[in-house]
Amino acid sequence: MSSGIPVWIASGNSWLHATLHQPAGPAKAMGVVIVSPVGHEFTHSQSSVRRLCEHLSLAGYPTVRFSLQGVGNSTTLPGDHNLLDVWVRNVTDVADWLRERTGCHTLSVGGLRLGASVAALYAEQHAVDTLLLWAPCLRGARFLRDCQLVGQASSYLKASGLLDCGGLVMDGSAQHLIGAMRLTQTVPRARRVLLFDRDDAPQAEEVRAWLAPHGIDLVITAHTRYLGMMRQSMNSLIPEAGLRALAGQLSQTPHVRNTLTATPTAVVQSSDTTTDHAMCTPDGVRETLCQIGANGLFGILTEPALAGRHADLVVVIPNTGGGHHVGPCNLHVALARALAGQGIAALRFDLANLGDSVSGVPSNADQPYPRGAMTDVSEVLNYLASVHGFTRFLAVGMCSGAYTGFRALCRSVSDGSAHEIAGALLINPAVWAWDETLVENDCLNAARVESRAAAYTEKLASGSKWHRLIRGDVSIGYAVATTVQRAAMKFGSAARRLAEHAGIYGTPLAREIRRVLDAGRTLRIYTAQGDPAADILRSVGGVGVQRMIDAGQLPVTDFADADHTFSSAASQAKLVHRLVLDCVDAAARCERLADRPGPCGLAGTPVVQSAIGGGD
């Protein structure tokens, strides 16, 4: 259950997604505003930013964290805008909101990376008690260079003049504004600055030289293993000790009043099961913040403002890996809003102990294949049916989210669940069956071996790699081990295929997929070219799955120029377009079959009986 209260905060004609962390006991007179970073850093650091806010609220500070406009769940930026002016206005509106809602008398502001930079620009215009700089971008040009080094951003910039920062695309004007930003040329109106300094690229001396002439106190806390925090979400390390120390240092601030004398205004009245708060965008999309079930799962329901022909259908999108509901590079946000534009509702949500469906650091945090996932999905479907009246469901998921969607679909078919899932659209599924009691899951091990093999194959084309090998600077032991593992996998796969051809057995995955298709359910798979997902499907599924693919019963769509998470804006746009078309097709097929016996399937996909395929 999340420790915070999710809210929408108005900023001009736009809406910012925020979470308020209220102290459980008496609140101090100072409130804190935390600005989240942008791009890849926003996705990877979400758990750490949440933990900072939880530590601050435990210390007695009413704290709000939020996403800047154009980032995460916050609504998109206007076409004609001064990016930094818009973002500083966002901080101003959130700060005013926090004062009004909690009654705090003074404010401190801070943020992570570019979020810290925007907080500093706000502090240049508004007096604050403390400015909290967490690994700040002191120079905007450095941030832009970092973006160009991530994934496919550099080639995307050269091709179009736009810079893809992983969920946030900057045009030339925005790049110019960010590139010209130099915090050392500003003078914060702050009594002191708390610097949470990264260990891999320390900035303490540069910050000290900036603030000393202005008489601003500087307190420095070392951020150990900063790069560990910025790993992909399921492997991200939360700097607990540093965050606790940071909250403790803020507590040393002398306040005009130690505690609030007035009762804070309630933002959202929460109940034991459900808390909703909604906004509507100018283009007619309504989004409702949801806390679902006894465990308080968090999700956002996106709906067309006006009910249309698909009013009873909703697409459910579980989080991916250890990341939260926005999806890699805002994929789930983009998909949900695109579906709403076609009259289809969607709920993006976090499984228990992941994303915003978590409080503190539970023992099984960031487990992408949690034991209770099917219980969580059942709670979500019950909520959507009982509270919002939906009767038809589709599942869409990426990687571990694809596993969750597929398992939920299989369960719906085999158990005759009360809320029938009509189908699942699976993006780069790496695991088809998970047993957490095993030291190494077969599917996950196959994914790792295939990924390493692909990386070594790519290196074979590099002259510099061969040069290092000849000089003896590279150990080939790991490469040899990977080659042996891959050969063993291929041999085992070939042996299974021979057994299948001989009629000895069909793989468990082939039998499951066969049952899904025989039940008339939708099943589509989407893979990035070069990603091991397609090879894993054929290896684990065997001849039975390959026959279903060849017969067109199991559509597999491959995307060129895409990575595992479709991190570039160009590849993501193609994926979202395809997913929306397929969801619309599935919805239309369901409507045509609504008065006929049996479940609905995908338009144009035949329901083939088990005599075809060798999967049984």
Side-chain angles (χ1 to χ4, degrees), residues 477-565:
Y478 204 49
V480 170
T482 298
T483 302
V484 171
Q485 284 181 298
R486 190 166 188 267
M489 284 170 44
K490 294 297 183 183
F491 178 79
S493 177
R496 287 194 299 272
R497 286 174 183 271
L498 286 174
E500 288 181 79
H501 278 299
I504 298 174
Y505 75 93
T507 67
L509 177 58
R511 290 194 294 269
E512 285 187 309
I513 292 177
R514 181 77 276 152
R515 280 193 292 268
V516 166
L517 297 180
D518 284 352
R521 310 296 173 89
T522 296
L523 187 60
R524 278 185 174 269
I525 298 169
Y526 310 82
T527 61
Q529 196 173 74
D531 188 85
D535 289 337
I536 292 170
L537 171 64
R538 290 173 171 84
S539 175
V540 177
V543 173
V545 166
Q546 186 60 56
R547 286 176 176 171
M548 287 182 261
I549 294 173
D550 293 341
Q553 302 160 20
L554 179 61
V556 177
T557 304
D558 195 43
F559 290 82
D561 301 322
D563 57 17
H564 180 67
T565 57

Side-chain angles (χ1 to χ4, degrees), residues 119-131:
L121 294 177
Y122 169 85
E124 183 183 25
Q125 302 176 17
H126 304 82
V128 299
D129 181 274
T130 302
L131 175 61

